[in-house]
Amino acid sequence: MTDLLIRALPFSEFDARISQLNEVLIDCVAGGASVSFMHPLSVQKATEFWQKVANSVGNNERIVLVAEDEHQQIAGTVQLLTDQPENQPHRADVAKMLVHPRARRRGIAQKLMQQLEVVALEAGKTVLVLDTATGSHAELLYQNLGWLRVGDLPKFALMPDGTFCSTTFYYKHL
C-alpha cells in the first residue's frame, strides 16, 4: 500500500462512509476478532454502532482514524476515546483497532497506531490504555510499538463464536 492515507474521520463524513466502516467491522468479526460483537454481525447492528460512534465524534468525545487505500476505500480504523473523568484529563483509551482482512500484512495497523499517538499528544493525552484478546496477533503489534503489558483477565469477554476469551491490558506513556 504505497498510497495509504491516515486521517481523522470528521463527523460530517460518517454518513457517507458508514457502509465502508460496516464492511471492515463485519468482516473482522466474521474472521474472529473479539471487538465487542458476536458472529454473525448484521448490517443493522453495525450501522447502529457506527452511528453512536459518529455522535460521540460530533460531541468531541472520541477521534476516529481511518486508513484509506489508493481507491479511497477504508482499509482500517482505530479510535481514541478522549472523554475521560475529571481526574484523568491526561488519559485516553484506544478502541476498535480494525484492519480489513483484504488489507492485512501491509503495515496498516502499525501506521494507524503511530498516527494515533500523534493525535493523542495533540489532544493533550500522555497515557494511553487498551485491551486485546490474549494471544491475538494484536498483542505482538502492541508490544513491538512499545506498549507495556499490565496483565490478563480470564473469561473477560466472548469471542464472536461464543467461547470465552481472556483479555490482556496494555498501557503506553507518550
Side-chain angles (χ1 to χ4, degrees), residues 5-174:
L5 173 65
I6 296 178
R7 66 184 181 95
L9 188 64
F11 173 77
S12 61
E13 289 185 33
F14 264 86
D15 283 345
R17 304 306 291 272
I18 268 190
S19 65
Q20 290 180 37
L21 291 164
N22 280 348
E23 182 183 337
V24 172
L25 178 59
I26 290 169
D27 286 355
C28 286
V29 170
S34 177
V35 290
S36 306
F37 296 97
M38 304 304 290
H39 180 70
L41 175 58
S42 71
V43 171
Q44 177 183 345
K45 188 175 273 191
T47 299
E48 290 169 0
F49 167 74
W50 288 115
Q51 288 170 336
K52 287 179 185 176
V53 168
N55 289 335
S56 184
V57 168
N59 291 330
N60 294 316
E61 299 166 338
R62 76 180 65 210
I63 299 166
V64 176
L65 296 182
V66 293
E68 298 170 321
D69 65 19
E70 61 274 12
H71 307 291
Q72 289 79 47
Q73 296 296 304
I74 295 175
T77 183
V78 67
Q79 299 176 34
L80 184 70
L81 285 62
T82 56
D83 186 34
Q84 299 296 329
E86 183 178 354
N87 69 338
Q88 299 170 42
H90 59 290
R91 185 177 71 77
D93 294 335
V94 177
K96 303 294 183 280
M97 161 54 79
L98 304 166
V99 175
H100 195 289
R102 75 170 184 274
R104 293 195 178 145
R105 302 286 177 217
R106 298 180 186 171
I108 294 172
Q110 178 179 339
K111 290 173 183 162
L112 279 166
M113 291 301 292
Q114 289 168 334
Q115 184 61 32
L116 184 91
E117 290 181 20
V118 171
V119 168
L121 283 170
E122 289 172 352
K125 305 300 181 178
T126 57
V127 177
L128 301 181
V129 178
L130 64 79
D131 65 86
T132 190
T134 305
S136 69
H137 294 293
E139 278 199 280
L140 185 57
L141 167 74
Y142 300 136
Q143 291 168 8
N144 287 340
L145 290 173
W147 286 77
L148 300 173
R149 184 178 171 276
V150 176
D152 302 339
L153 186 56
K155 294 186 177 182
F156 183 77
L158 297 176
M159 296 298 289
D161 66 3
T163 59
F164 279 111
C165 159
S166 175
T167 295
T168 303
F169 292 87
Y170 288 88
Y171 75 94
K172 187 170 188 180
H173 288 155
L174 303 179

